[in-house]
Amino acid sequence: MAAAAAVPAGALGPRDFDGWFTEVEAMWKGQRFSIEVEKVLLHKKSKYQEILVFDSKTWGRVLVLDGVIQLTTKDECSYQEMMAHVPLFCHQSPDRVLIVGGGDGGVLREVVKHGKVSDVTLCEIDTEVIAAAKEFFGDTVATAFDDEAVTIVVEDAAEFLKTRRNMFDVIIVDSSDPTDADAPATALYKPAFLKSCSDALRDGGILCMQGECLWLDSHRDLVKETLAAMRPLFGIRDYGAISIPTYPCGQIGMILAGKYDEEDIPSLKDRELFFRKPRRHLDLSLASGPLRYYSDYVHEAAFVLPPIMRNSLGSETCANFIASSDLPEGLPTPEEFRMLFVGMLGGGLILGMAIGRLVLPRLF
Amino acid sequence: MAAAAAVPAGALGPRDFDGWFTEVEAMWKGQRFSIEVEKVLLHKKSKYQEILVFDSKTWGRVLVLDGVIQLTTKDECSYQEMMAHVPLFCHQSPDRVLIVGGGDGGVLREVVKHGKVSDVTLCEIDTEVIAAAKEFFGDTVATAFDDEAVTIVVEDAAEFLKTRRNMFDVIIVDSSDPTDADAPATALYKPAFLKSCSDALRDGGILCMQGECLWLDSHRDLVKETLAAMRPLFGIRDYGAISIPTYPCGQIGMILAGKYDEEDIPSLKDRELFFRKPRRHLDLSLASGPLRYYSDYVHEAAFVLPPIMRNSLGSETCANFIASSDLPEGLPTPEEFRMLFVGMLGGGLILGMAIGRLVLPRLF
């Protein structure tokens, strides 16, 4: 069997990968993930990044940007569905949505399933990513570019957002990793960009950012920095986890932020549970088919973080302090329910009979 | 940077791995995970398998059996804690526990944290795994071999269990993968072994098996076969998911089975929720320190499977049919609660007064 080989970052055009594609480990030193290649379909350098598309032996078709796997058709459902449906179902009435990045069209495919959304803008810096998605993923991931609700803007989102005010109900930042200072995504983790997002959201608006992986020290640091930078801008902040095998460590997160003043939602518990509880429920008639990863339950469970992760975020997420008193065990069982009601009714009856027999005859 | 190299399965003694260890992909064709090696500490062939221990650059110390990563000291907490605490907290009063395999001592370390457990037997086929664990993981994973509650048996668990009847409250099968017909773990997925486990459990006993990964087709088939073989033996069966970066796809499962007749727990919903609700809660005073991955919440959330996984298990798990009516939203809010109670009390009062005023005077 051929040994795995790293892809030279500057290589251009179709080439032989010795049968395997191995991810560069810029942000996850000391570990590598490899996928067996069936056929390389595209390998080029755009103005912004290296674009690679190949058919794999066991993960379907794969899109790679700057040596980092963006999606495989076998497991993309978890990331796309959660990035779209978690913020959209947390919003009472999402009308206008902005997707930053997302040139592969996967998050877009999910957003247009929401009948409440009348207007979706996708702002992608690299037109060649959109072209590759249309050519190679037209029947799987890039299925919604021509939807009548969709506007495509090919522009740097950091520039695009500078002049937008109170325009969007939900902004979804579906970026690649900020692997180095030159990577297209690097500006999207800076405080200036977060401020632009806040300004561009309506009150009560929701920002959902690709949130990296809490198992990795360097990722966790980035998540904490981002959450800290969000604090003066967004009254509610949280982190939810998604299972996705072909991303580093098999886990990625969503960083969620709500444009509320803390006074708008004064109860700590309501803030803790804000993103955890969908405000609306999935109407399958809206969807083109059943969802593969998202459900009400999965939405809620995504915010249940193991102590090792929860503690690492310190006080930067609202959901850090959910105590065991919130457990469903604290609620009465159906049996206890029935006994309580019978008790209240019986108590009322006995007290009422006593009043009726002893007190009322003396009054009337 | 050096290319990753597969470890020759028969290689003996310390050797140079070109700086990287790459997992053999016997059960996960088309994908590979590699860890950068700092120093190889042990590489030998025992009677049963190839044993490799190395210090890694970013994942701490690593144990590998037959080319498959068993644990790294950085992420082992999730697997060990869930495999031990989920079945133990689902049992009302676990007194005697059997661990099958688990020669690294990690699950054992977690089991002895339970004060209710008076007797733990660890049945490991390969004494050299225990020796390697004691030598190289004595201060991290293999910390409980000398606990007074512990008995070590070096034997094939399939043989050991043939003569045991009604002895254990919980059996935890912490095996390696059944990579081929000769692998030590292969017999542990056969119906005959499941029957022995059922016989060796007391009524109301719980079996928890290493449950592989639902993202992988071949693993899913094994999980389904195992659940189907459990059906005549265990009235309650379920599958829970664990996040663990250095296992294939970053996810592994627990297959859980309860030795109950279906008539013992007649309600479908009670069967669905059986493993999802801890029967007892974590008493941190029992533990030597706070747990890193397990919590009441994490326990419950582990059984929330995305539709793509839940549907793939068909009718083989009890928890397949949990409907959205079980969502907490279906329960009354505290405000509705109060109104209901006031209504019942008031209704009883009015009815009682009428009876007391009108009916009772005619009777007495």
Side-chain angles (χ1 to χ4, degrees):
Chain A
M1 219 170 295
V7 181
L12 291 175
R15 63 180 291 277
D16 175 24
F17 291 100
D18 293 338
W20 287 81
F21 163 77
T22 294
E23 202 170 53
V24 294
E25 75 268 17
M27 286 184 68
W28 36 91
K29 299 274 183 218
Q31 68 191 84
R32 286 180 183 166
F33 181 66
S34 311
I35 291 183
E36 196 168 6
V37 176
E38 182 78 40
K39 184 164 190 252
V40 175
L41 303 171
L42 175 74
H43 191 203
K44 68 188 295 185
K45 192 131 174 41
S46 75
K47 185 177 165 194
Y48 298 99
Q49 56 206 333
E50 181 196 7
I51 302 171
L52 168 68
V53 178
F54 65 87
D55 280 331
S56 72
K57 285 271 173 68
T58 57
W59 285 97
R61 192 160 282 183
V62 184
L63 171 68
V64 178
L65 297 178
D66 276 348
V68 177
I69 295 164
Q70 301 299 306
L71 68 86
T72 84
T73 49
K74 194 168 169 194
D75 70 345
E76 50 88 14
C77 61
S78 66
Y79 176 78
Q80 324 279 17
E81 291 183 14
M82 294 294 275
M83 286 291 287
H85 299 310
V86 169
L88 285 171
F89 281 127
C90 282
H91 197 286
Q92 201 67 53
S93 185
D95 179 33
R96 300 194 68 181
V97 175
L98 172 68
I99 301 169
V100 171
D104 56 53
V107 169
L108 187 66
R109 178 192 67 196
E110 299 303 317
V111 169
V112 301
K113 289 178 180 173
H114 285 254
K116 282 189 184 286
V117 175
S118 62
D119 191 295
V120 193
T121 303
L122 184 137
C123 183
E124 162 67 55
I125 200 168
D126 194 345
T127 187
E128 298 202 51
V129 171
I130 297 174
K134 284 182 174 171
E135 184 173 355
F136 297 106
F137 298 88
D139 56 349
T140 52
V141 184
T143 57
F145 281 111
D146 297 328
D147 190 284
E148 60 181 16
V150 175
T151 306
I152 309 292
V153 178
V154 177
E155 194 180 336
D156 178 350
E159 290 302 315
F160 172 83
L161 275 172
K162 274 181 183 162
T163 55
R164 265 68 186 180
R165 294 285 179 280
N166 303 312
M167 273 188 69
F168 301 106
D169 298 304
V170 172
I171 297 177
I172 300 170
V173 182
D174 173 20
S175 68
S176 46
D177 296 303
T179 41
D180 59 53
D182 295 333
T186 300
L188 307 184
Y189 289 83
K190 304 283 187 202
F193 178 73
L194 299 174
K195 175 72 166 63
S196 294
C197 287
S198 173
D199 291 342
L201 282 170
R202 293 171 174 158
D203 284 343
I206 291 173
L207 171 63
C208 175
M209 292 182 70
Q210 189 265 85
E212 304 292 358
C213 173
L214 288 189
W215 282 104
L216 293 163
D217 298 340
S218 63
H219 283 210
R220 196 162 51 233
D221 291 344
L222 181 65
V223 173
K224 283 177 76 168
E225 278 168 30
T226 307
L227 285 165
M230 282 173 166
R231 201 189 307 174
L233 302 166
F234 297 93
I236 305 174
R237 306 162 304 283
D238 212 333
Y239 178 97
I242 306 167
S243 166
I244 181 159
T246 59
Y247 282 3
C249 299
Q251 187 251 313
I252 197 162
M254 307 160 278
I255 302 175
L256 285 147
K259 190 176 174 182
Y260 286 85
D261 288 333
E262 288 213 359
E263 300 81 61
D264 293 341
I265 303 178
S267 148
L268 177 63
K269 188 169 163 187
D270 288 343
R271 290 205 300 278
E272 284 170 352
L273 295 177
F274 183 85
F275 285 115
R276 211 165 148 176
K277 298 285 181 198
R279 278 184 173 66
R280 298 174 300 114
H281 292 296
L282 191 61
D283 178 357
L284 280 181
S285 67
L286 294 179
S288 52
L291 298 183
R292 288 187 284 167
Y293 189 91
Y294 181 91
S295 73
D296 289 346
Y297 287 106
V298 171
H299 179 138
E300 193 170 333
F303 295 94
V304 176
L305 301 181
I308 191 175
M309 294 184 180
R310 188 155 43 84
N311 296 340
S312 74
L313 293 179
S315 59
E316 291 301 352
T317 77
C318 298
N320 199 41
F321 304 105
I322 295 175
S324 57
S325 58
D326 299 325
L327 277 177
E329 281 83 351
L331 290 166
T333 64
E335 182 55 28
E336 288 165 341
F337 245 127
R338 277 192 293 275
M339 286 173 64
L340 272 167
F341 282 122
V342 170
M344 293 305 278
L345 183 67
L349 260 174
I350 290 164
L351 192 63
M353 284 195 288
I355 293 169
R357 182 78 181 90
L358 303 174
V359 181
L360 289 185
R362 296 174 197 197
L363 293 177
F364 307 98
Chain B
M1 220 169 293
V7 180
L12 291 173
R15 65 182 289 278
D16 174 23
F17 291 101
D18 293 338
W20 288 81
F21 164 77
T22 294
E23 201 170 53
V24 293
E25 75 268 16
M27 284 184 69
W28 36 91
K29 299 276 182 216
Q31 69 191 84
R32 287 179 182 167
F33 180 67
S34 310
I35 293 183
E36 196 167 8
V37 176
E38 182 79 40
K39 185 167 191 248
V40 174
L41 303 171
L42 175 73
H43 190 203
K44 67 187 296 187
K45 191 133 175 42
S46 75
K47 185 177 164 196
Y48 298 99
Q49 55 206 333
E50 180 195 8
I51 302 171
L52 168 68
V53 178
F54 65 88
D55 280 332
S56 71
K57 284 269 170 69
T58 57
W59 285 98
R61 192 160 284 184
V62 184
L63 172 67
V64 179
L65 298 178
D66 277 347
V68 178
I69 295 164
Q70 301 300 305
L71 67 86
T72 85
T73 49
K74 193 167 171 196
D75 71 344
E76 51 89 14
C77 61
S78 65
Y79 177 78
Q80 325 278 17
E81 291 183 13
M82 293 294 274
M83 286 291 288
H85 299 310
V86 169
L88 284 170
F89 281 127
C90 281
H91 197 286
Q92 200 66 54
S93 184
D95 179 34
R96 300 193 69 180
V97 175
L98 171 69
I99 300 169
V100 171
D104 56 55
V107 169
L108 187 66
R109 178 192 67 197
E110 299 303 316
V111 169
V112 300
K113 290 177 179 172
H114 286 253
K116 284 191 182 285
V117 176
S118 62
D119 190 297
V120 194
T121 303
L122 184 136
C123 182
E124 162 66 55
I125 199 168
D126 193 344
T127 186
E128 298 200 51
V129 172
I130 296 173
K134 284 182 174 170
E135 184 172 355
F136 297 105
F137 298 89
D139 55 349
T140 52
V141 185
T143 57
F145 282 110
D146 298 328
D147 190 284
E148 57 181 17
V150 175
T151 306
I152 309 292
V153 178
V154 177
E155 195 179 335
D156 178 349
E159 291 300 316
F160 172 83
L161 275 172
K162 276 182 183 161
T163 55
R164 266 68 186 181
R165 294 285 180 279
N166 303 311
M167 274 187 68
F168 302 105
D169 299 303
V170 173
I171 298 178
I172 301 170
V173 182
D174 173 19
S175 68
S176 46
D177 296 302
T179 41
D180 60 54
D182 295 333
T186 301
L188 308 183
Y189 288 84
K190 304 282 187 201
F193 178 74
L194 299 174
K195 175 72 167 62
S196 294
C197 286
S198 173
D199 290 342
L201 281 170
R202 293 172 175 159
D203 285 342
I206 289 173
L207 171 64
C208 175
M209 291 183 70
Q210 190 265 85
E212 305 291 359
C213 173
L214 289 191
W215 282 104
L216 294 164
D217 299 340
S218 62
H219 282 210
R220 196 162 51 231
D221 291 345
L222 180 65
V223 173
K224 284 177 75 169
E225 278 167 31
T226 307
L227 285 166
M230 283 173 164
R231 202 190 306 176
L233 302 167
F234 297 92
I236 304 174
R237 305 163 304 282
D238 213 335
Y239 178 96
I242 307 167
S243 166
I244 181 159
T246 60
Y247 282 3
C249 299
Q251 185 251 314
I252 197 163
M254 308 161 277
I255 301 174
L256 284 148
K259 190 177 174 181
Y260 286 85
D261 288 332
E262 289 213 359
E263 300 82 63
D264 293 342
I265 303 178
S267 147
L268 176 64
K269 187 167 165 188
D270 287 344
R271 290 205 301 278
E272 285 170 352
L273 295 176
F274 183 86
F275 285 115
R276 208 164 151 177
K277 298 285 181 194
R279 294 216 140 52
R280 298 173 299 114
H281 292 294
L282 192 62
D283 178 357
L284 280 181
S285 68
L286 295 179
S288 53
L291 299 184
R292 288 186 284 166
Y293 189 91
Y294 182 90
S295 73
D296 288 347
Y297 286 107
V298 171
H299 179 137
E300 193 171 332
F303 294 94
V304 176
L305 301 181
I308 193 176
M309 294 184 178
R310 190 154 44 83
N311 296 341
S312 74
L313 294 179
S315 58
E316 292 300 352
T317 76
C318 298
N320 198 42
F321 304 105
I322 294 174
S324 58
S325 58
D326 300 324
L327 278 176
E329 281 83 349
L331 290 165
T333 64
E335 182 55 28
E336 288 165 340
F337 245 128
R338 276 192 293 276
M339 286 173 64
L340 271 168
F341 281 124
V342 169
M344 293 306 276
L345 184 67
L349 259 174
I350 290 165
L351 191 64
M353 284 195 289
I355 293 169
R357 183 77 179 91
L358 304 173
V359 182
L360 290 185
R362 295 175 197 198
L363 295 175
F364 309 100

